[in-house]
Amino acid sequence: MTQVKKKIAIVTGASRGIGAAIAGRLASDGFTVVINYSGDAAPAEELAREIEETGGTALTAKADVSDAQAVARMFDAAETAFGGVDVLVNNAGILKTLPLAETSDEEYDRHFGINVKGTFNTLREAAKRLNDGGRIVNFSSTTLALNMPGYAVYNGTKAAVEAFTHVFAKELRGRNITVNAVAPGPIATDLFLNGKSDELVAQFAKMPPLERLGQPDDIASVVSFLVGPDAGWINGQIVRANGGVA
Ligand code: NAP
């Protein structure tokens, strides 16, 4: 019996939070997953072990997505281990809410470096290397539609990601590669919870008409759909998965 070759998915920022849920979900969907992270290796290694234990295949790849050479090396590692890349999920991102007037040059550069340049770096690499028929999913945020104070710089980065998504979908004409973005509403992860009081978290949880915070799996299932066989005609779109917040 001939075995169908497994597709290879790189998930950036996959050691924790939404990215970890995406990596786990894609592994159970049958993808070989590359678990990218930039800091602590332990949670990425633990996730890889869990995936392998349940019959999946995973590789961890340390790379700061804001570093173009590190991103190129991550693609090299995926190609060496598995022979190519079919799916790129650009999930890595950071958020620190601050009024624009109080945002330092360093904080501005860090946000644009990881959220925008990081996405640019992986997209540019994917343009050269992603197999025809592949899928790309970028990460925006529903905060872009809410215009809440404190989110100017973060929303600026996500506006850029949405712009990349629309244009890049067209630049890949002829390759049968789709490029979409997911714009989650509040999801219970470190990025969202850190620095918020219980009262503020409860307020956010009341915002969607579904009256709860989203969970990482709520977003992993959307990504699973976008990279799966049923989403082949969805291209250049932003999917606002937010329980109806906006
Ligand atoms: P999270 O819990 O803070 O996890 C972030 C992940 O990204 C971690 O695995 C982190 O690992 C990795 N990461 C951070 N900087 C990186 C870098 N320079 N290079 C590579 N990896 C890096 O965040 P999350 O809530 O899951 O967010 C994931 C995405 O969803 C982000 O793009 C975020 O903007 C978006 N989003 C989140 C929410 C929400 O409410 N949570 C809502 C809308 C959109 P290391 O620390 O080891 O690098």
Side-chain angles (χ1 to χ4, degrees):
M1 198 175 83
T2 49
Q3 286 217 314
V4 180
K5 191 178 174 302
K6 286 172 89 171
K7 294 205 164 169
I8 320 303
I10 293 179
V11 183
T12 68
S15 58
R16 297 182 280 115
I18 296 169
I22 294 168
R25 174 62 191 261
L26 296 192
S28 69
D29 289 349
F31 288 88
T32 292
V33 290
V34 177
I35 300 167
N36 161 254
Y37 65 99
S38 73
D40 184 7
E45 296 296 343
E46 175 59 24
L47 177 60
R49 207 166 23 250
E50 281 169 27
I51 288 172
E52 299 268 346
E53 275 168 16
T54 52
T57 312
L59 176 77
T60 60
K62 179 170 174 137
D64 176 347
V65 292
S66 68
D67 175 346
Q69 288 181 353
V71 166
R73 286 195 297 272
M74 174 173 70
F75 274 79
D76 290 344
E79 286 175 354
T80 304
F82 308 119
V85 179
D86 301 286
V87 169
L88 168 66
V89 181
N90 266 322
N91 162 83
I94 57 164
L95 160 67
K96 185 170 168 57
T97 52
L98 264 183
L100 185 149
E102 292 165 28
T103 302
S104 64
D105 290 350
E106 291 72 25
E107 209 53 84
Y108 176 93
D109 289 345
R110 201 167 71 91
H111 277 77
F112 274 82
I114 295 173
N115 296 2
V116 181
K117 181 101 189 319
T119 300
F120 165 78
N121 284 337
T122 55
L123 292 180
R124 188 172 54 181
E125 214 56 42
K128 288 182 275 186
R129 305 208 199 188
L130 212 68
N131 289 332
D132 287 2
R135 300 286 167 88
I136 297 173
V137 179
N138 293 327
F139 265 73
S140 179
S141 172
T142 281
T143 57
L144 188 50
L146 299 176
N147 296 316
M148 292 179 293
Y151 285 81
V153 170
Y154 179 72
N155 286 356
T157 68
K158 295 305 189 182
V161 169
E162 292 200 8
F164 291 174
T165 302
H166 294 305
V167 174
F168 202 54
K170 293 183 179 173
E171 290 183 353
L172 292 183
R173 173 180 289 275
R175 302 266 304 273
N176 194 24
I177 295 172
T178 64
V179 186
N180 294 293
V182 180
I187 305 291
T189 66
D190 294 346
L191 176 141
F192 168 76
L193 295 167
N194 282 353
K196 289 192 177 73
S197 64
D198 291 350
E199 291 73 32
L200 189 56
V201 170
Q203 262 179 40
F204 271 96
K206 282 279 180 205
M207 280 167 77
L210 300 183
E211 294 195 317
R212 66 171 176 86
L213 288 180
Q215 296 299 320
D217 284 346
D218 289 317
I219 302 305
S221 58
V222 177
V223 174
S224 165
F225 168 66
L226 288 174
V227 307
D230 289 340
W233 196 233
I234 299 179
N235 194 16
Q237 304 301 312
I238 315 297
V239 180
R240 303 197 183 279
N242 55 31
V245 171

